[in-house]
């Protein structure tokens, strides 16, 4: 009889012990992938917010430009409609400083060197 302790039988390759030893590595990889997913999601949310703000600003600028162009169209249509009206042409001539043939020009000795506007000028685009 032998007094030696019985030898431990070899464990099979796919034993639960070997799988349990690999578990921390699998958890670390899973945690790393989850962290990368969180970083990517955060980036995508920030990028979406930036694009929304940028689009909103560009939209407002475009609407302001459209309003200015529509105003220009109205001014040009009014000018075109009044282009052949003698009263309107007379008013434009007065704004530029022209005097009628039968009118007399009177200039004050205390008049400024640079005259002011006779009337409100309408800007033509």
């Amino acid at each position: 009889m032998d007094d030696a302790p019985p030898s431990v039988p070899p464990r099979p390759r796919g034993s639960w012990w070997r799988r349990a030893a690999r578990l921390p590595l699998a958890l670390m990889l899973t945690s790393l992938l989850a962290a990368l997913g969180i970083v990517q999601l955060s980036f995508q949310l920030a990028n979406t917010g930036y694009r929304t703000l940028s689009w909103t600003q560009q939209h407002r600028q475009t609407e302001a430009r459209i309003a200015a162009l529509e105003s220009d169209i109205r001014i040009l249509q009014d000018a075109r409609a009044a282009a052949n009206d003698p009263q309107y042409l007379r008013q434009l001539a007065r704004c530029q400083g022209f005097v009628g043939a039968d009118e007399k020009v009177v200039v004050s000795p205390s008049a400024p060197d640079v005259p002011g506007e006779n009337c409100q000028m309408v800007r033509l685009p």
Side-chain angles (χ1 to χ4, degrees):
M1 295 233 246
D2 211 317
D3 285 335
S7 64
V8 178
R11 294 188 183 118
R13 278 188 106 182
S15 73
W16 68 273
W17 179 254
R18 188 170 205 140
R19 282 182 280 163
R22 289 187 191 169
L23 187 61
L25 179 63
L27 287 176
M28 285 190 295
L29 286 175
T30 304
S31 297
L32 178 66
L33 289 175
L36 287 174
I38 290 170
V39 168
Q40 181 183 11
L41 179 64
S42 300
F43 173 76
Q44 291 296 335
L45 288 174
N47 191 27
T48 301
Y50 171 75
R51 287 176 38 191
T52 300
L53 288 175
S54 173
W55 181 85
T56 303
Q57 182 182 18
Q58 290 176 358
H59 183 71
R60 286 183 186 145
Q61 289 174 351
T62 303
E63 283 182 340
R65 181 72 178 137
I66 288 171
L69 290 174
E70 286 174 348
S71 173
D72 289 349
I73 288 172
R74 279 192 304 275
I75 291 170
L76 288 173
Q77 286 174 344
D78 292 344
R80 183 181 66 180
N84 293 326
D85 183 19
Q87 186 64 25
Y88 177 74
L89 294 175
R90 191 173 298 118
Q91 180 185 3
L92 284 179
R94 285 232 182 257
C95 286
Q96 294 177 4
F98 290 97
V99 181
D102 56 348
E103 296 177 340
K104 189 173 189 180
V105 178
V106 178
V107 179
S108 170
S110 62
D113 292 337
V114 180
E117 291 291 329
N118 291 345
C119 58
Q120 181 181 6
M121 295 293 292
V122 176
R123 179 187 71 85
L124 293 178

